[in-house]
Amino acid sequence: MEFGTIEREIYIEADPEVVFEVVSSPDHLEQWWPDEARYDPVPGATGDIVFGERDAGGTVVQFAVVDAEPPRTFSFRWTQPADEPAVEGNSLLVTFELTPARGGTLLKMTESGFREMGWEAALLEQQYLEHATGWDFYLPRLAPYVASLEVRP
Amino acid sequence: MSAAVAERIDDDLWSAIGDPTRRRMLDLLLADGDGTSTTLSGQLPVTRQAVAKHLGVLDRVGLVRATPTGREKRYRVDDAQLARAVAQLNAVGAAWDARLQRIKRIAEAIQRSQDG
């Protein structure tokens, strides 16, 4: 019985170099997770990710790069308190492992630390899930709306 | 049950599972069907008193149910509460499923634009 670790695998039809960029660069992170990401994708770098707007009630979450070995591994810790270095016990550890496979990339993701962090971390995650679901709902509606604006004379 | 109360219980539930000895105890109770402080301490490197204390924590969050039998209480895992704890973690897994699908879409779009 394993509590507190999430493991996922997904096959992506893209080179490991491309996938590595998408999982590690702050610009790309903003496309698939937070609204804003500020950090250098190099080992030891610290920064933050923001859900919502930074200066308008958004949630700012600490982010620290643990490992970055292109195009094989990218890992980071998040949710640590702002005044503490990210270590086991005060943060969640996310690790991406990339393996070339069938002309594309097998991406393996693990997130651990829930059992040390307690339930608050999982609740925080759930909150972000709702946030993500919100965008999945709104974005498909936004594009036709923008297109309709453009056709106006 | 109010949302605030539910949240507090979830919090306690998670802390209860957070301890390695208590997780080991849950494993043993699931494997053996049930157990007492005495039977569990015989399989763990902790005293019977420590086991009794841990069982008290698990009992309070509803992960185990006690039935008095003779001098000692006999404990079983509460399947519904355990399933609940697992379901909460599954919600977090679903968040990652959605993120990974977006990562896949973005990476494959970049790849196509490079190949084209």
Side-chain angles (χ1 to χ4, degrees), chain A residues 1 3-4 6 8 11 13-15 18 28 31-33 109 111 114-115 118-120 125 129 132 136, chain B residues 10-11 14 17-18 23 27 86 88-89 92-93 95-97 99-100 102-104 106-108 110-111:
Chain A
M1 188 168 36
F3 287 111
I6 294 163
R8 289 291 188 275
Y11 175 72
E13 285 175 37
D15 297 336
V18 170
H28 278 122
Q31 304 297 311
W32 59 262
W33 191 20
M109 188 288 305
E111 181 170 45
F114 289 101
R115 65 166 59 151
W119 184 237
E120 294 94 335
E125 277 271 22
L129 169 66
D136 284 348
Chain B
D10 286 344
D11 219 27
W14 210 253
I17 293 175
R23 277 199 306 279
D27 283 342
V86 172
Q88 308 261 20
L89 195 60
V92 181
W96 272 110
D97 287 336
R99 285 175 211 143
L100 289 169
R102 288 198 286 276
I103 288 170
K104 179 181 166 76
I106 296 164
E108 291 180 349
I110 295 171
Q111 186 71 51

